[in-house]
Every structure is written in structure tokens, then in C-alpha cells.
Amino acid sequence: MKTLGDPKTKESIVIRLADLRANSPRQWGKMDPHQAVCHLSDSFISMIGERPISTLRNRAAMKWAALYLPFPWPHGFKTRP
């Protein structure tokens, strides 16, 4: 599994973010680049404890489903606003 603790993974993500432009075409889903970066930022802020998130039980169940169920994440799935 890829993690930000791995220097190669972190470097590849930093490069992808640096290449992102306001007019970059969508690779997947409906978010434009600005919305995607805000969405990722909100997720990271929640995980480091600077913003409250849903109950621990809901979070644990969703995380388990996202990581371990053997099917692709559905297109159009509603995420945090």
C-alpha cells in the first residue's frame, strides 16, 4: 500500500500537485482541480485532528470499506462537502 511515509510515493504526489493547473483536464470524477485540492486538504486536516470528523465507528467502517472491499470506488460517490 502506498503511504506518504514512503519518500518515493511522497515525491510522486508532490510532482503531480506541482503539475496541476486550473485548466487541467479531469482524470476521474466531477471535481475541478481547485475542488480536488480542497477535498484532499480537508481530508488530511481531519486525519491529523485539526477538524472534527464523523463518529469513530462511521469513520472506521468507511475506511475499512474504502481500503479492503474488492471493488472500485463508484463514480459520482458523494464525499465531504
Side-chain angles (χ1 to χ4, degrees):
M1 176 188 296
K2 294 181 178 181
T3 71
L4 290 176
D6 175 30
K8 289 182 182 180
T9 300
K10 183 178 177 181
E11 181 182 356
S12 71
I13 291 172
V14 169
I15 290 169
R16 288 178 66 184
L17 287 171
D19 289 343
L20 196 60
R21 302 287 179 260
N23 61 351
S24 294
R26 293 181 178 123
Q27 299 287 317
W28 190 88
K30 296 180 180 182
M31 292 184 196
D32 61 35
H34 176 78
Q35 292 169 326
V37 170
C38 288
H39 169 72
L40 293 172
S41 176
D42 287 345
S43 296
F44 286 127
I45 289 170
S46 295
M47 290 298 106
I48 63 174
E50 292 185 12
R51 177 177 294 151
I53 56 175
S54 59
T55 65
L56 181 59
R57 184 181 324 148
N58 289 343
R59 183 179 75 206
M62 184 59 77
K63 179 180 177 181
W64 183 88
L67 294 175
Y68 300 111
L69 288 179
F71 56 85
W73 203 256
H75 289 277
F77 189 82
K78 297 293 182 187
T79 61
R80 286 181 61 140

PDB file of all heavy atoms in Angstrom, residues 46-60:
ATOM      1  N   SER A  46      -8.510  16.635   8.664  1.00  0.00           N
ATOM      2  CA  SER A  46      -9.315  15.788   9.552  1.00  0.00           C
ATOM      3  C   SER A  46      -8.484  14.664  10.155  1.00  0.00           C
ATOM      4  O   SER A  46      -8.595  14.361  11.337  1.00  0.00           O
ATOM      5  CB  SER A  46     -10.496  15.187   8.780  1.00  0.00           C
ATOM      6  OG  SER A  46     -11.380  16.190   8.367  1.00  0.00           O
ATOM      7  N   MET A  47      -7.633  14.051   9.333  1.00  0.00           N
ATOM      8  CA  MET A  47      -6.852  12.909   9.817  1.00  0.00           C
ATOM      9  C   MET A  47      -5.789  13.301  10.830  1.00  0.00           C
ATOM     10  O   MET A  47      -5.404  12.496  11.665  1.00  0.00           O
ATOM     11  CB  MET A  47      -6.198  12.173   8.639  1.00  0.00           C
ATOM     12  CG  MET A  47      -7.172  11.421   7.773  1.00  0.00           C
ATOM     13  SD  MET A  47      -8.031  10.126   8.694  1.00  0.00           S
ATOM     14  CE  MET A  47      -9.643  10.807   8.911  1.00  0.00           C
ATOM     15  N   ILE A  48      -5.296  14.538  10.780  1.00  0.00           N
ATOM     16  CA  ILE A  48      -4.299  14.948  11.768  1.00  0.00           C
ATOM     17  C   ILE A  48      -4.956  15.597  12.985  1.00  0.00           C
ATOM     18  O   ILE A  48      -4.267  16.078  13.876  1.00  0.00           O
ATOM     19  CB  ILE A  48      -3.220  15.867  11.160  1.00  0.00           C
ATOM     20  CG1 ILE A  48      -3.802  17.176  10.640  1.00  0.00           C
ATOM     21  CG2 ILE A  48      -2.443  15.143  10.081  1.00  0.00           C
ATOM     22  CD1 ILE A  48      -2.756  18.168  10.175  1.00  0.00           C
ATOM     23  N   GLY A  49      -6.292  15.592  13.013  1.00  0.00           N
ATOM     24  CA  GLY A  49      -7.022  16.008  14.205  1.00  0.00           C
ATOM     25  C   GLY A  49      -7.299  17.491  14.336  1.00  0.00           C
ATOM     26  O   GLY A  49      -7.703  17.951  15.396  1.00  0.00           O
ATOM     27  N   GLU A  50      -7.128  18.252  13.275  1.00  0.00           N
ATOM     28  CA  GLU A  50      -7.388  19.684  13.357  1.00  0.00           C
ATOM     29  C   GLU A  50      -8.824  20.045  13.015  1.00  0.00           C
ATOM     30  O   GLU A  50      -9.220  21.193  13.130  1.00  0.00           O
ATOM     31  CB  GLU A  50      -6.424  20.452  12.449  1.00  0.00           C
ATOM     32  CG  GLU A  50      -4.998  20.391  12.952  1.00  0.00           C
ATOM     33  CD  GLU A  50      -4.060  21.241  12.136  1.00  0.00           C
ATOM     34  OE1 GLU A  50      -4.522  22.050  11.314  1.00  0.00           O
ATOM     35  OE2 GLU A  50      -2.841  21.103  12.323  1.00  0.00           O
ATOM     36  N   ARG A  51      -9.618  19.093  12.565  1.00  0.00           N
ATOM     37  CA  ARG A  51     -11.022  19.322  12.261  1.00  0.00           C
ATOM     38  C   ARG A  51     -11.797  18.078  12.685  1.00  0.00           C
ATOM     39  O   ARG A  51     -11.393  16.969  12.387  1.00  0.00           O
ATOM     40  CB  ARG A  51     -11.209  19.560  10.768  1.00  0.00           C
ATOM     41  CG  ARG A  51     -12.678  19.730  10.392  1.00  0.00           C
ATOM     42  CD  ARG A  51     -12.882  20.027   8.932  1.00  0.00           C
ATOM     43  NE  ARG A  51     -12.318  21.336   8.651  1.00  0.00           N
ATOM     44  CZ  ARG A  51     -11.831  21.685   7.480  1.00  0.00           C
ATOM     45  NH1 ARG A  51     -11.829  20.846   6.489  1.00  0.00           N
ATOM     46  NH2 ARG A  51     -11.329  22.882   7.290  1.00  0.00           N
ATOM     47  N   PRO A  52     -12.913  18.283  13.383  1.00  0.00           N
ATOM     48  CA  PRO A  52     -13.691  17.106  13.796  1.00  0.00           C
ATOM     49  C   PRO A  52     -14.259  16.373  12.587  1.00  0.00           C
ATOM     50  O   PRO A  52     -14.570  16.983  11.562  1.00  0.00           O
ATOM     51  CB  PRO A  52     -14.808  17.698  14.655  1.00  0.00           C
ATOM     52  CG  PRO A  52     -14.895  19.126  14.269  1.00  0.00           C
ATOM     53  CD  PRO A  52     -13.531  19.537  13.793  1.00  0.00           C
ATOM     54  N   ILE A  53     -14.359  15.076  12.713  1.00  0.00           N
ATOM     55  CA  ILE A  53     -14.945  14.260  11.656  1.00  0.00           C
ATOM     56  C   ILE A  53     -16.092  13.470  12.237  1.00  0.00           C
ATOM     57  O   ILE A  53     -16.419  13.594  13.414  1.00  0.00           O
ATOM     58  CB  ILE A  53     -13.901  13.328  11.014  1.00  0.00           C
ATOM     59  CG1 ILE A  53     -13.236  12.462  12.074  1.00  0.00           C
ATOM     60  CG2 ILE A  53     -12.864  14.124  10.257  1.00  0.00           C
ATOM     61  CD1 ILE A  53     -12.284  11.443  11.514  1.00  0.00           C
ATOM     62  N   SER A  54     -16.697  12.640  11.427  1.00  0.00           N
ATOM     63  CA  SER A  54     -17.831  11.850  11.883  1.00  0.00           C
ATOM     64  C   SER A  54     -17.415  10.922  13.022  1.00  0.00           C
ATOM     65  O   SER A  54     -16.251  10.826  13.371  1.00  0.00           O
ATOM     66  CB  SER A  54     -18.390  11.054  10.713  1.00  0.00           C
ATOM     67  OG  SER A  54     -17.395  10.210  10.183  1.00  0.00           O
ATOM     68  N   THR A  55     -18.375  10.223  13.574  1.00  0.00           N
ATOM     69  CA  THR A  55     -18.084   9.347  14.704  1.00  0.00           C
ATOM     70  C   THR A  55     -17.019   8.323  14.358  1.00  0.00           C
ATOM     71  O   THR A  55     -16.830   7.976  13.193  1.00  0.00           O
ATOM     72  CB  THR A  55     -19.354   8.595  15.158  1.00  0.00           C
ATOM     73  OG1 THR A  55     -19.759   7.717  14.105  1.00  0.00           O
ATOM     74  CG2 THR A  55     -20.467   9.564  15.512  1.00  0.00           C
ATOM     75  N   LEU A  56     -16.329   7.871  15.347  1.00  0.00           N
ATOM     76  CA  LEU A  56     -15.249   6.905  15.142  1.00  0.00           C
ATOM     77  C   LEU A  56     -15.766   5.641  14.463  1.00  0.00           C
ATOM     78  O   LEU A  56     -15.119   5.101  13.571  1.00  0.00           O
ATOM     79  CB  LEU A  56     -14.602   6.565  16.489  1.00  0.00           C
ATOM     80  CG  LEU A  56     -13.436   5.596  16.451  1.00  0.00           C
ATOM     81  CD1 LEU A  56     -12.318   6.156  15.576  1.00  0.00           C
ATOM     82  CD2 LEU A  56     -12.920   5.334  17.841  1.00  0.00           C
ATOM     83  N   ARG A  57     -16.936   5.184  14.844  1.00  0.00           N
ATOM     84  CA  ARG A  57     -17.492   3.963  14.257  1.00  0.00           C
ATOM     85  C   ARG A  57     -17.743   4.159  12.755  1.00  0.00           C
ATOM     86  O   ARG A  57     -17.377   3.313  11.945  1.00  0.00           O
ATOM     87  CB  ARG A  57     -18.791   3.583  14.953  1.00  0.00           C
ATOM     88  CG  ARG A  57     -19.355   2.283  14.448  1.00  0.00           C
ATOM     89  CD  ARG A  57     -20.666   1.886  15.092  1.00  0.00           C
ATOM     90  NE  ARG A  57     -20.748   2.240  16.485  1.00  0.00           N
ATOM     91  CZ  ARG A  57     -21.885   2.576  17.084  1.00  0.00           C
ATOM     92  NH1 ARG A  57     -22.999   2.586  16.426  1.00  0.00           N
ATOM     93  NH2 ARG A  57     -21.914   2.880  18.364  1.00  0.00           N
ATOM     94  N   ASN A  58     -18.366   5.275  12.370  1.00  0.00           N
ATOM     95  CA  ASN A  58     -18.628   5.535  10.947  1.00  0.00           C
ATOM     96  C   ASN A  58     -17.324   5.668  10.172  1.00  0.00           C
ATOM     97  O   ASN A  58     -17.199   5.171   9.062  1.00  0.00           O
ATOM     98  CB  ASN A  58     -19.454   6.808  10.775  1.00  0.00           C
ATOM     99  CG  ASN A  58     -20.874   6.634  11.246  1.00  0.00           C
ATOM    100  OD1 ASN A  58     -21.348   5.523  11.420  1.00  0.00           O
ATOM    101  ND2 ASN A  58     -21.552   7.743  11.472  1.00  0.00           N
ATOM    102  N   ARG A  59     -16.361   6.371  10.751  1.00  0.00           N
ATOM    103  CA  ARG A  59     -15.079   6.574  10.083  1.00  0.00           C
ATOM    104  C   ARG A  59     -14.364   5.240   9.876  1.00  0.00           C
ATOM    105  O   ARG A  59     -13.836   4.968   8.809  1.00  0.00           O
ATOM    106  CB  ARG A  59     -14.216   7.529  10.897  1.00  0.00           C
ATOM    107  CG  ARG A  59     -12.899   7.836  10.204  1.00  0.00           C
ATOM    108  CD  ARG A  59     -12.070   8.787  11.012  1.00  0.00           C
ATOM    109  NE  ARG A  59     -11.489   8.057  12.135  1.00  0.00           N
ATOM    110  CZ  ARG A  59     -11.125   8.589  13.279  1.00  0.00           C
ATOM    111  NH1 ARG A  59     -11.281   9.866  13.492  1.00  0.00           N
ATOM    112  NH2 ARG A  59     -10.600   7.862  14.224  1.00  0.00           N
ATOM    113  N   ALA A  60     -14.354   4.415  10.893  1.00  0.00           N
ATOM    114  CA  ALA A  60     -13.667   3.127  10.799  1.00  0.00           C
ATOM    115  C   ALA A  60     -14.322   2.237   9.744  1.00  0.00           C
ATOM    116  O   ALA A  60     -13.627   1.588   8.956  1.00  0.00           O
ATOM    117  CB  ALA A  60     -13.648   2.437  12.157  1.00  0.00           C
TER     118      ALA A  60
END
